[in-house]
Structure formats: structure tokens, C-alpha cells
Amino acid sequence: MNAHDRIHDVIGVGFGPSNLALAIALDEIARRDQPGLSFHFVERQPRLTWHGGMLLPGSDMQISFLKDLVSLRDPTSPFTFVNYLHEKGRLEAFINRKTFFPSRVEFNDYLRWAASRFDSHCSYGEEVVAIEPHVAHGLVVALDVRSRSAAGGERVRRARNIVIAAGGTPSVPDCFVPFAADARILHSSGYLDGIAGLGLADRPASRVAVIGGGQSAAEILMDLHGRFSRLRADLVLRARALKPADDSPFVNEIFSPAGTDIFFRQSQEARRAFLDEFRNTNYAVVDLDLIQRVYDVLYEQRVEGERRLTVLSGCEVLEAAADAEGIALTLRDRQGGPPERRAYDAVILATGYRRDPDPRFLQHLGPYLRGLSVDRHYRLRTTDDCEPAIFLQGLSETTHGLSDSLLSVIAVRAREIAEALVGLRARPSSPVLPGRFARAMRVAASS
């Protein structure tokens, strides 16, 4: 059964860190400037969980806790990580650890702590399946957000503006796409639940392949080593070696909010060159201390004469096949030599994410979109007969830089989007005017 709520000024698709930061920014504006914007979020998970499949024991953040939901724009906010520690009674103990990097489990708890303040503004356990235009007098005057619960019930909420922050889509190499339903082939995003359901502990001679050369691949390799006492695992990576992430101070300046302005002003050619030059800060790289741990384990194996872990560097997967006996991969050394076929009980794809808007969200809005590029404030460019604004969070790396999908700029980006939304509220609305006259008035106002 469909039901319309009252119209919201803003509906957010997804309630991870980006839209949580936006909720805080909108709440700040509402407290400062009454009345504030009405806002609501729709999240498919039953509760906020940040990279739940990779909340591995002993895994730490790769970014300072000061780049939390608010500190870079307002360190006095009650939503800082420091205030979270204070309320939890762990501030002094955290200080004694002498680190800027909390565990991933702790940071996830911080996000849940902040999200709990907005329980009345979020509907969990609902997946957005469509965003549809609501047309009056020849203009799109609102957007209908259609969501579906796990039980199959549908609900429609109406909004003046939309902010999409649904996260990335797992990237799956072509040769594994036919096996999407095979539980033995899993993406790193579902690693913890997936590996627990395979019963590998009951098969001590099990073999697992981990595909990828980045942080997640190395973390999963080490987790398999600690989780199973006899399991054998191969790390398959295209590069000739695990490469360290460059997190040196001068390079890290590209992740500052000011760096977003600099990047956005560049030509497309300059942006592509920039992304290529600094790719080693974020893609297919591993923290140096984790590389050292992997190497130490491999060295200990040589001392003890066992070989549970293997790093197959400079190697690519040509084919994959699956039957009742297991998963067969055809591998080839990129430097030459004949292909080799290896059998595994499971394959874990640590192959990253695609950062494109979900087609389901925008397919009904196609006639009103001028492509999928966004302006400086993350707003999609729309036609003159579409009044609602559609903002994207975490999906604009090619226009806003490498920090776009990371935590580095979410506090400042949330303020920018929130202020843009407030500015739109002051815009004269024209749904009651005849279509042609309304469009003419809007075009004249913008010229």
C-alpha cells in the first residue's frame, strides 16, 4: 500500500556517514534559524553500519579521528568524536593510546551514537527502488521517493529536494559476474557474514583465493590466517608487489576541503592527470605497517617450513568456473608463461567499488537531467522545468577529487549542501503558474 507523508524539504537516500553529516548540518541550521528545513532519510540496512563486512578485529582507521562528522567545520559541536569518547567515559583511556587512529569497530560505534540522535528522522530497513517526478502545470514541482521494506510493503514519500548518498556498488570482475548467486564467491563488502557461513573451519584443508592488491585484500588475507589454523590462502594481485599508500603530509593536503576547490576549477584533462598522479593515495595500496605484517608471516612460514599463505603477484584471473567440488580459477603470470588452473573452496573479491548513481534512482528523471555531472555544490544539472534539486554525495570523484568518496571532506561538504538547500528554500516557487509562463519567469530570473 502506498502512502504519502507530508512533503519534506529534503529526503536523503541512504544514511551512512555522508548523509549523517548532512543531518547534523541541517539540525544546526534549524537550531540557529527557525524554522529549519524538514528532512528525512531512508536507509536499507536495519541500522547504521559502516562497512559492516570489514569490521575486522584489530583493523584501524586509515584517517585521523579529527576528520569525523563535524570537527573540520565546528570542533565545538556535540557530535565530535572527542565528545563521543567523553560521553562513553573513554576519553582519557583513548588519549593514553597515543594515536590518531581509532579501531574501525570503535568508529562504527561513534557513527551509531551520532545517528541515534536522528532516529525520528530516518526510516531503516527500507530500500529506495525509484525516484519519480511529480508534475504540476508542466513543471516538476516535487519528487516521490518510492521505497520497499524487507516484507515487501511499499511507501512513497514526497520531497522538494533529494540528496543521494547510497554508497558505492561492489565492483565485480566480468569473469565472476555469472556466479553472483554462488555463496562461495563473495565481495569484501560481505566478507564477515559470508565467510562465517561457508563452514571452512570444518574443512581444515580448505583453500581460499583473495583477489585484489589493496588494503581490504591484505586485511582479509591476515584475517583468514588468524581465523583458521590450517586454511591455505592465495592473494592474487595484478601488480608485481603490494604497494604502500602515500600518506605523507604534503600529499595529504590534496584531501583538504580547499583541495576540492582547486580540483573543481581544473579542466577535465588536468583532473584526469591529477587523479592518475595521486592514485597511489587511495587505490590498490596498503598501509606500510600491514605490508610489513604480511611479509613477516610469509617469512615465518619459510622458517617453519609451512606454506599456508601465498602472494601471487603479477597475476591475473583469466577465467572462473564453479561446480559442486569448488571454484576453479585460470591464472596467468602477466610477465609470461602458460596459464595455470587452481582449485579453491571460496573466492573473496577485494576488488573495490563503482561510484556511479544507481540507475534505479534516476531512470524516471532522465528527461529532466542534463547529464550526470554536478556543480560545485554537488547538485545535478537539471532542465528549466525541474524545480527540485538533486544532490550527490560520494559519487563525484571526477569533478571534486579523490577525497569525494572518503571521510576527509564530509563535514565541510555537508555544510555546503545544507546551505545550498537553505538557499533553495528562499527561491520563489511556481507550481501554481501555467507551465509556459512559469518556465519563462524562471529563465528570466536566472539570466
Side-chain angles (χ1 to χ4, degrees), residues 13 29 35 55 79 116 155 177 230 239 271 367 380 394 437 443:
V13 179
I29 290 172
L55 293 176
F79 287 96
S116 68
R155 183 162 189 169
V177 170
R230 295 178 60 187
R271 289 173 182 170
L380 280 171
F437 180 68
V443 171

Side-chain angles (χ1 to χ4, degrees), residues 388-410:
I390 305 165
F391 294 86
L392 303 181
Q393 295 213 70
L395 301 173
S396 305
E397 181 181 280
T398 57
T399 55
H400 288 68
L402 285 162
S403 60
D404 188 68
S405 62
L406 307 177
L407 294 173
S408 300
V409 299
I410 62 169

Side-chain angles (χ1 to χ4, degrees), residues 149-384:
S149 69
E154 284 198 353
R155 183 162 189 169
V156 178
R157 297 175 175 87
R158 185 160 290 169
R160 294 185 178 91
N161 306 286
I162 298 289
V163 182
I164 298 174
T169 303
S171 179
V172 177
D174 291 343
C175 63
F176 293 103
V177 170
F179 310 106
D182 195 321
R184 298 168 300 176
I185 300 176
L186 56 143
H187 190 267
S188 59
S189 57
Y191 168 69
L192 278 178
D193 288 339
I195 203 70
L198 294 180
L200 297 180
D202 300 326
R203 290 177 283 165
S206 295
R207 295 189 63 180
V208 175
V210 182
I211 313 298
Q215 183 75 15
S216 294
E219 288 183 356
I220 288 171
L221 183 73
M222 294 306 294
D223 184 75
L224 289 170
H225 181 260
R227 187 178 295 268
F228 304 104
S229 60
R230 295 178 60 187
L231 178 143
R232 299 182 64 183
D234 292 344
L235 177 63
V236 182
L237 63 151
R238 289 173 56 86
R240 297 303 301 178
L242 289 173
K243 298 177 181 178
D246 187 345
D247 61 351
S248 56
F250 288 108
V251 168
N252 269 345
E253 288 187 351
I254 70 172
F255 297 112
S256 69
T260 302
D261 283 322
I262 295 171
F263 187 88
F264 188 82
R265 290 196 296 265
Q266 305 302 308
S267 66
Q268 288 189 0
E269 182 180 357
R271 289 173 182 170
R272 285 193 294 268
F274 188 98
L275 294 173
D276 289 342
E277 179 179 356
F278 291 101
R279 183 176 177 80
N280 65 337
T281 61
N282 192 42
Y283 294 108
V285 289
V286 184
D287 281 351
L288 186 58
D289 62 341
L290 181 55
I291 291 177
Q292 187 66 54
R293 285 168 51 200
V294 173
Y295 195 88
D296 287 347
V297 168
L298 296 177
Y299 182 80
E300 289 170 3
Q301 288 184 164
R302 296 173 66 180
V303 173
E304 297 170 0
E306 69 168 352
R307 193 175 180 180
R308 288 180 51 210
L309 299 188
T310 304
V311 175
L312 302 176
S313 58
C315 192
E316 61 183 343
V317 181
L318 296 180
E319 295 178 350
D323 58 27
E325 299 301 316
I327 312 297
L329 300 183
T330 302
L331 308 176
R332 180 179 64 188
D333 189 321
R334 299 180 66 202
Q335 298 301 310
E340 177 185 3
R341 190 176 176 90
R342 293 195 175 209
Y344 297 98
D345 297 286
V347 175
I348 302 162
L349 305 175
T351 46
Y353 297 83
R354 299 195 314 274
R355 300 285 178 178
D356 304 307
D358 191 319
R360 295 175 302 171
F361 299 158
L362 302 179
Q363 62 181 343
H364 299 290
L365 304 177
Y368 307 102
L369 298 178
R370 293 174 171 166
L372 294 179
S373 64
V374 295
D375 65 16
R376 172 60 186 83
H377 295 107
Y378 306 94
R379 180 181 176 179
L380 280 171
R381 293 178 170 87
T382 55
T383 56
D384 290 335

Side-chain angles (χ1 to χ4, degrees), residues 9 39 44 65 104 120 122 216 306 360 387 429:
D9 290 312
F39 57 91
R44 64 179 176 83
F65 69 85
R104 204 172 290 159
S120 63
C122 184
S216 294
E306 69 168 352
R360 295 175 302 171
E387 289 194 337
S429 182

